[in-house]
Amino acid sequence: MLEVLTRGFRAARQRLRGEAELNEALLEEALRDVRRALLEGDVSLEVAKRFLARVKEEAVGQVVRLKAGKGEGAVRVSPADHFNRICLEQLTALMGGGDTKLDLAGSPKEPAVCLLVGLQGSGKTTTAAKLARNLKEEGRRPLLVAADVYRPAAIDQLAVLAERVGVPLYREDDGDPVKICKRGVAEAKRQGCDVVILDTAGRLVVDEPLMRELEKIAKATRPRETLLVCDAMIGQEALTTATTFHERLQLTGAVLTKLDGDARGGAALSIREATGVPVKLAGMGEGLDRLERFRPDAIASRILGLGDVEGLMADFQRAVEDEERAEEAAQRALAGELDYEIFLDQLQTLGRMGPLSDLLAKLPFFGDTPLPEGPVDDTELRRAKVLIQSMTPEERRNPRLLERSPSRRRRICKGAGLPPKALKELMKKLEMMRQMMLLMGAQAEPQGLLGKVPGLKRVQQLKQMRNLDPAALAGGLPGAAPGGLPAAAA
Ligand SMILES: Nc1nc2c(ncn2[C@@H]2O[C@H](COP(=O)(O)OP(=O)(O)O)[C@@H](O)[C@H]2O)c(=O)[nH]1
Ligand SMILES: [Mg+2]
């Protein structure tokens, strides 16, 4: 996702790397890279121009020396860092900056209505179900209304999705969409629902009868949110569509769907700037749990390749089922007691956090390394799981048992249906991770991502109690640790 844009910003940054000062000529070159990427990423020329002008204005006039700040605590700011910061601010501002929160406050007496509109195939029906699911998860009581009466299959589609997310549906098999919506709201009050989501019909292109119908629905139900659902893959066309819908319906926001696909990012970047409609939600996949709040700062950070730590932590928090247990496990791992039980737990947490490629994209370390194209290979993770599941509880808790006993190793491999080599690799990985965790636990101040890992701060006490010597440990640490992710996430 958004790879075209990321590549452009990365090229610009590489141009500035190693330079001591940001001068105008250098800046022009970097901006050219960005400009190319924006246009290639389907950002409209107008929006691209305005963005570049703002970045330039910010950057020029500030003499940036290698060493900024004075005296103690002086930070080194390189032109590349400086450029990053300006781009991050300006990208964030471009996509919305301020509040992009949905406002669907309501009660069973006065349910909040959310009207979803958009072209056919943009993702309205899917988004309706996803939104209902999210609201339900927040403790709300949503009702879905099927108001796309032109295709019988459309009502059934919503019925299936409503069933899957466990949300009531209001439907009438042939009727007038305006009346259906009105009666849907009445039904919500009757059932004690506090929010109503209206899934409407779409056309391939904007047409007058549909617009009139939507206007009538809006008049009859007075929605709190009127959201335009937009397929992010259609790029600049989304802007024209948004403008037309906005003129007729006074949109309160947009939902960008299919941002998980090979969307070039243009729509995400331009829609707010070009139409004034804030993007509030992002569809990140076909799964019903793949609708997220649109956070301009997080998307900006991802576009720049700076990762999305906040998003990662949110995923993590959602995936961890038992926080106390996770914290205890983290503390044990950081004290050098990593075993297969903890390892398996972490693998399972990781599995619940969503596709691996999504996780990688959120990790800050990957900023300047292009992510592998296509799905990430998770064979190794799956193998590790099978192997650990073939171990006895005793073996999981005491990895040394395996080192000493070839017969245990044979039994495990046989049970897992994997060659001895696979278990050897797992054992090596566990040891490598054990040492790495121990070293992390011994660090004075957990920084960045690690600073947010639950339990890491309290480990300081443990460290002192056990009198660890970080310097001695560093000697035995292997350089790269590809298996570091699951451990770090614990
Ligand atoms: N990959 C991906 N597909 C989506 C997303 N949202 C919707 N879709 C797919 O887009 C297609 C059209 O969606 P639908 O909800 O029927 O669109 P509607 O005609 O506007 O109601 C379906 O195949 C959905 O599964 C998304 O965020 N990501
Ligand atoms: Mg539909």
Side-chain angles (χ1 to χ4, degrees):
M1 162 189 137
L2 311 174
E3 186 52 33
V4 174
L5 296 172
T6 305
R7 233 181 290 137
F9 282 101
R10 189 182 298 135
R13 210 153 48 217
Q14 251 140 23
R15 220 179 258 288
L16 301 178
R17 180 152 301 155
E19 299 286 345
E21 201 177 292
L22 187 58
N23 59 46
E24 200 155 338
L26 204 56
L27 181 66
E28 287 295 344
E29 281 178 40
L31 288 175
R32 250 200 307 278
D33 291 328
V34 173
R35 182 190 152 91
R36 202 174 304 127
L38 291 177
L39 296 181
E40 214 182 308
D42 216 9
V43 172
S44 78
L45 185 62
E46 224 10 76
V47 172
K49 266 193 195 154
R50 273 185 263 162
F51 173 75
L52 292 167
R54 281 183 220 140
V55 172
K56 190 171 167 185
E57 193 184 292
E58 282 290 311
V60 173
Q62 292 184 38
V63 184
V64 183
R65 307 215 172 275
L66 189 62
K67 216 164 175 182
K70 298 178 197 94
E72 256 179 59
V75 223
R76 280 168 172 259
V77 178
S78 67
D81 288 338
H82 187 67
F83 187 72
N84 256 345
R85 188 185 57 76
I86 294 174
C87 288
L88 185 66
E89 280 169 11
Q90 293 302 325
L91 272 179
T92 307
L94 188 72
M95 288 186 286
D99 207 3
T100 55
K101 260 207 187 105
L102 273 188
D103 171 23
L104 285 173
S107 65
K109 245 194 197 155
E110 196 74 41
V113 174
C114 180
L115 172 61
L116 296 179
V117 302
L119 298 182
Q120 190 174 316
S122 59
K124 289 180 300 300
T125 304
T126 316
T127 301
K130 288 174 173 175
L131 181 60
R133 178 198 167 274
N134 288 1
L135 287 167
K136 190 181 161 200
E137 203 137 279
E138 288 166 21
R140 301 294 301 275
R141 300 202 53 195
L143 175 91
L144 284 159
V145 175
D148 181 357
V149 297
Y150 304 101
R151 295 177 307 144
I155 301 182
D156 293 334
Q157 183 196 357
L158 187 64
V160 170
L161 296 176
E163 170 105 29
R164 267 175 60 198
V165 296
V167 165
L169 171 79
Y170 183 77
R171 64 185 285 178
E172 286 178 25
D173 282 337
D174 38 15
D176 164 23
V178 181
K179 289 191 183 132
I180 293 176
C181 289
K182 251 178 116 164
R183 286 199 280 261
V185 176
E187 179 63 19
K189 289 183 188 168
R190 209 183 57 76
Q191 289 193 27
C193 295
D194 56 9
V195 49
V196 183
I197 301 163
L198 307 176
D199 177 33
T200 62
R203 300 286 152 86
L204 288 175
V205 288
V206 177
D207 79 1
E208 189 51 33
L210 180 69
M211 282 299 169
R212 232 174 283 138
E213 175 180 307
L214 293 173
E215 275 173 343
K216 278 193 213 153
I217 293 178
K219 214 170 142 216
T221 61
R222 288 197 286 133
R224 254 192 117 83
E225 291 274 5
T226 303
L227 303 177
L228 175 71
V229 181
C230 254
D231 178 339
M233 293 210 268
I234 69 170
Q236 279 188 55
E237 260 177 79
L239 304 184
T240 330
T241 312
T243 309
T244 318
F245 273 91
H246 194 35
E247 278 165 8
R248 300 292 294 266
L249 293 162
Q250 290 87 48
L251 302 171
T252 57
V255 183
L256 281 177
T257 61
K258 308 180 199 180
L259 270 174
D260 53 305
D262 55 358
R264 285 172 292 173
L269 232 59
S270 339
I271 206 162
R272 166 77 182 240
E273 173 86 11
T275 67
V277 177
V279 182
K280 295 190 170 175
L281 297 167
M284 307 295 291
E286 298 204 42
L288 294 175
D289 59 345
R290 314 290 293 156
L291 181 72
E292 298 174 7
R293 223 186 102 198
F294 184 80
R295 289 181 299 126
D297 52 341
I299 301 262
S301 176
R302 274 169 83 158
I303 287 173
L304 290 172
L306 303 176
D308 176 9
V309 173
E310 200 186 316
L312 191 66
M313 286 303 132
D315 287 350
F316 174 67
Q317 227 110 49
R318 225 180 303 129
V320 170
E321 285 176 339
D322 182 345
E323 234 169 277
E324 215 164 286
R325 183 169 143 171
E327 178 141 342
E328 193 198 300
Q331 296 204 6
R332 276 177 52 208
L334 290 165
E337 289 173 20
L338 183 69
D339 61 21
Y340 290 110
E341 208 173 72
I342 300 177
F343 195 50
L344 182 64
D345 241 25
Q346 291 171 346
L347 290 181
Q348 273 156 353
T349 302
L350 197 66
R352 282 192 297 269
M353 283 170 71
L356 203 52
S357 52
D358 268 25
L359 290 187
L360 292 181
K362 288 179 184 165
L363 278 179
F365 331 121
F366 283 89
D368 284 333
T369 337
L371 286 173
E373 299 276 342
V376 176
D377 183 16
D378 64 350
T379 320
E380 216 186 325
L381 290 178
R382 271 187 283 120
R383 282 181 164 207
K385 246 189 225 175
V386 178
L387 283 165
I388 298 173
Q389 275 154 353
S390 306
M391 295 176 192
T392 64
E394 205 190 357
E395 286 161 351
R396 289 186 201 173
R397 279 193 297 268
N398 186 358
R400 293 237 171 78
L401 288 177
L402 301 189
E403 277 154 36
R404 286 199 294 258
S405 164
S407 65
R408 283 178 190 270
R409 294 201 295 267
R410 271 196 302 275
R411 197 203 74 244
I412 292 166
C413 289
K414 214 168 145 225
L418 286 169
K421 208 177 78 192
L423 182 58
K424 276 248 168 64
E425 273 165 24
L426 178 68
M427 289 167 63
K428 243 196 278 169
K429 181 150 286 167
L430 186 87
E431 179 53 22
M432 207 160 84
M433 276 176 52
R434 195 185 64 78
Q435 294 196 22
M436 199 180 71
M437 299 296 313
L438 189 56
L439 185 76
M440 268 167 35
Q443 247 168 29
E445 269 296 307
Q447 299 260 315
L449 178 66
L450 294 181
K452 304 202 176 194
V453 174
L456 206 50
K457 292 235 162 84
R458 272 205 254 147
V459 158
Q460 295 319 307
Q461 287 174 315
L462 244 127
K463 181 197 80 183
Q464 283 166 355
M465 270 163 48
R466 283 167 202 253
N467 214 4
L468 298 174
D469 178 3
L473 288 168
L477 188 80
L485 174 60

